[in-house]
Amino acid sequence: MNEPARDTIFALSSGRPPAAIAVIRVAGPCARAALEALGVKVPEPRRVGLARFRDPASGEIIDEGLVLFFEGAKSEIGEDTAELQPHGGRAIIAAMLAALGRIEGLRPAEAGEFTRRAFENGKMDLTAVEGLADLVMAETEGQRRQAYRQMRGALGKQADAWRERLIQALALVEARIDFSDEGDVPEDLLAPALAIAGALEAEIAGALADGQRGERLRDGLVVAIAGPPNAGKSTLLNRIARREAAIVSPYAGTTRDVIEVHLDLGGMPVTLLDTAGIRDTDNPVEMEGVRRARQRAAAADLVLWVVDASAPEVFSGEPEALLQPPPPARSLDAGAAQAAGIAMQAADIKSESVARSWLVVNKCDLNQEVTKGPRAGDSTVRNEAKGRFNETITSMVNKQLTSKNESVTHNSEPAFVISALSGDGVPPLLGALERFAADALAGADAALVTRARHRRALEETLAALRRALTRPVAEREDLLAEELHGAARALGRLTGRVDVEDILDVIFRDFCIGK
Ligand code: GDP
């Protein structure tokens, strides 16, 4: 744990300079000496001092500012910690860090090293460390709330409480194994042990049955924009992102990279993925990008299937087929999809987890001209198109024109008639996306499990508990103890405190054995 010869570490803890104020942290056994070397009078612990920071070699004043000191065990890190707050100029920070680097026993901290020390010193468990990392990275209100709860021990405390009960159950079983000859050990210790295991099994299973909302809130929902080339996917993404996030081009196939835009929709994080860039390529660098994009699109929570209301395919061939977003690939005939002019290969959206897809009919600015009838000078294509115009789109456009609301549906899912170019119809689409995110993530900021690691550890615990509760195991003390040990170890790994000492502690405390 806290080794005596530990280095004292220092780093700039505030953001990129220049800024009004910088925060430089120093932690370790020489923190006090470091302040003195800078000519600073060490303030009372947890009190603020005003100081002039001097270069230890020349004695020249570098800057002045506030200084705080936290004493060893009472500090957040569990070691003497000093906080220096000079002004946040680049030269000041450089001079301060250089000065600290020249002090005996000090070295620059590695990434995450302060928190790592807090963990090693028992000030934080692993789930709190993860919560802290998420809190710093949180982009939306929902993520911030969730991360704060995790940092404050939402899962950690629960896991500790579960583990404590497991250890009690284990103590009962081990007492029975080791000390069954002795008179003061009650006869039936297995039944209460199994009762504890049964209750834990139900509670942990309950925590896992959360629809993965915690993880989804942490990672953000993924909404993939898909559809035939030139349907206006990139234009829509740009419109939504309100910036030039993707290259919009009138030529098919020019979006080379897969573009991601992070949105904050009513506090919920949504990543929009423009799949226009997902296409076959021989370039190895692009291939890797394409592979990743496919993976992400395949796991999307929602697909916005964009079609061009004015495209020739809509007026000829199989317009109905074009209006069908590809279903999960297990039932999709890739050949048929291609024939329908669907650029995005079936393999792109193949996951069973693509739960839903919404039809977005784009370029309604062009389409409206068609539905209102050809004007003088309109092209022959348009004139011809009118007679064969796709009925679904016509009725959608008409509904939209008359009702001006978003209640249009297609395949029992919301459908939208928009113009990505002018922005018409985009606000209702965004409103629906916001409601979709709110529904999908409802209650997520109260979820216990926020990472795959948590889920794995709890699933491991659950599996061991379930094995413990099966008859052949439940009837054999040694096997039962082994499974309970396994369950406790998995929980211990979750919080990062695996040790066996406390098992013995509980045996001695509860049964007064070995008196
Ligand atoms: P993508 O291949 O699906 O990403 O399509 P793009 O976003 O690159 O758009 C293809 C072309 O259609 C571009 O010339 C866009 O300016 C145009 N476009 C996109 N949306 C609209 C729209 O709502 N109305 C009109 N008139 N043109 C659009």
Side-chain angles (χ1 to χ4, degrees):
M1 288 275 145
N2 198 354
E3 292 140 30
R6 219 157 168 52
D7 289 338
T8 295
I9 53 175
F10 65 90
L12 174 70
S13 290
S14 54
R16 262 167 73 109
I21 294 167
V23 176
I24 295 170
R25 283 208 288 184
V26 183
C30 299
R32 183 182 281 275
L35 286 186
E36 284 162 356
L38 293 176
V40 173
K41 181 173 174 289
V42 181
E44 289 291 306
R46 296 161 175 256
R47 302 266 173 198
V48 182
L50 181 63
R52 291 209 170 102
F53 308 114
R54 288 174 188 274
D55 186 291
S58 66
E60 188 196 345
I61 294 171
I62 300 171
D63 190 20
E64 56 189 38
L66 301 183
V67 57
L68 295 105
F69 187 75
F70 304 92
E71 229 169 2
K74 285 188 193 154
S75 75
E76 201 180 281
I77 294 171
E79 295 173 28
D80 280 359
T81 307
E83 236 180 70
L84 313 172
Q85 300 184 2
H87 296 100
R90 282 198 183 90
I92 298 168
I93 292 167
M96 292 287 288
L97 295 179
L100 286 166
R102 284 197 295 270
I103 299 171
E104 179 81 22
L106 265 65
R107 68 161 170 84
E110 286 163 24
E113 204 173 358
F114 291 103
T115 311
R116 192 182 166 138
R117 288 196 174 185
F119 169 66
E120 286 171 357
N121 292 329
K123 291 284 175 181
M124 294 175 100
D125 78 8
L126 270 190
T127 63
V129 168
E130 290 166 330
L132 174 59
D134 289 347
L135 188 59
V136 174
M137 297 306 287
E139 289 181 335
T140 73
E141 275 296 279
Q143 288 176 319
R144 179 188 63 70
R145 271 187 222 114
Q146 181 190 59
Y148 181 77
R149 284 183 72 254
Q150 206 62 296
M151 188 189 71
R152 297 302 306 162
L155 175 60
K157 283 182 189 154
Q158 180 61 76
D160 279 345
W162 280 332
R163 185 157 173 264
E164 203 155 296
R165 283 157 66 196
L166 250 177
I167 289 167
Q168 274 166 9
L170 192 50
L172 293 166
V173 179
E174 301 219 320
R176 172 123 183 101
I177 296 171
D178 296 344
F179 309 103
S180 52
D181 314 336
E182 301 202 6
D184 54 355
V185 177
E187 254 314 297
D188 191 9
L189 296 169
L190 293 191
L194 287 169
I196 294 173
L200 287 174
E201 191 268 345
E203 285 175 39
I204 293 172
L208 284 168
D210 58 359
Q212 308 201 351
R213 283 164 189 245
E215 289 117 300
R216 291 165 87 200
L217 174 56
R218 180 172 172 269
D219 298 340
L221 291 181
V222 177
V223 175
I225 303 180
N230 261 352
K233 298 181 289 296
S234 307
T235 312
L236 175 60
L237 183 95
N238 286 343
R239 165 67 51 187
I240 293 178
R242 291 204 188 87
R243 63 185 170 93
E244 292 293 303
I247 306 151
V248 182
S249 147
Y251 308 103
T254 46
T255 312
R256 300 310 303 174
D257 295 310
V258 175
I259 308 291
E260 260 188 52
V261 172
H262 293 242
L263 302 176
D264 178 344
L265 294 179
M268 297 303 165
V270 172
T271 302
L272 267 188
L273 204 64
D274 177 8
T275 61
I278 303 184
R279 62 194 84 236
D280 291 326
T281 171
D282 293 331
N283 179 325
V285 179
E286 272 184 23
M287 269 160 73
E288 177 55 22
V290 165
R291 190 188 64 78
R292 283 193 211 156
R294 284 215 162 110
Q295 247 176 11
R296 297 215 63 195
D301 298 286
L302 175 71
V303 174
L304 296 183
W305 186 252
V306 183
V307 295
D308 174 350
S310 70
E313 306 93 85
V314 173
F315 307 111
S316 59
E318 297 175 73
E320 281 304 330
L322 192 73
L323 292 181
Q324 306 300 326
R330 58 202 145 90
S331 59
L332 183 77
D333 172 352
Q338 257 171 343
I342 295 170
M344 198 167 165
Q345 301 293 305
D348 292 339
I349 301 180
K350 63 182 169 197
S351 164
E352 297 180 19
S353 65
V354 174
R356 301 175 60 179
S357 100
W358 294 353
L359 177 65
V360 178
V361 177
N362 187 32
K363 309 197 188 179
C364 74
D365 49 315
L366 302 176
N367 187 267
Q368 279 170 23
E369 289 171 25
V370 177
T371 48
K372 283 174 193 158
R375 291 179 313 205
D378 266 357
S379 70
T380 335
V381 177
R382 288 258 165 88
N383 280 329
E384 281 178 8
K386 198 185 169 248
R388 286 179 280 134
F389 191 66
N390 180 275
E391 275 176 33
T392 311
I393 292 184
T394 309
S395 83
M396 280 176 68
V397 173
N398 286 340
K399 252 195 219 162
Q400 174 110 355
L401 286 175
T402 50
S403 66
K404 277 279 173 212
N405 66 25
E406 66 208 68
S407 59
V408 188
T409 58
H410 180 67
N411 284 349
S412 327
E413 289 280 6
F416 303 87
V417 179
I418 66 161
S419 166
L421 203 62
S422 74
D424 262 10
V426 175
L429 172 59
L430 273 178
L433 277 177
E434 186 170 329
R435 281 192 299 283
F436 173 79
D439 282 353
L441 298 174
D445 52 4
L448 282 182
V449 177
T450 54
R451 288 176 182 239
R453 189 184 79 80
H454 304 160
R455 188 164 296 280
R456 274 198 308 278
L458 289 183
E459 278 169 354
E460 219 177 289
T461 312
L462 192 63
L465 282 172
R466 287 187 171 153
R467 285 194 300 273
L469 289 164
T470 56
R471 239 185 108 220
V473 175
E475 285 168 3
R476 278 201 41 198
E477 293 141 7
D478 55 337
L479 295 181
L480 179 57
E482 200 179 302
E483 296 299 355
L484 294 181
H485 255 299
R489 250 198 320 275
L491 278 181
R493 269 195 298 279
L494 176 57
T495 52
R497 30 172 153 259
V498 184
D499 50 15
V500 286
E501 286 305 310
D502 46 0
I503 299 175
L504 300 174
D505 288 345
V506 174
I507 292 179
F508 287 118
R509 192 183 64 208
D510 289 359
F511 292 94
C512 309
I513 296 162
K515 49 194 181 267

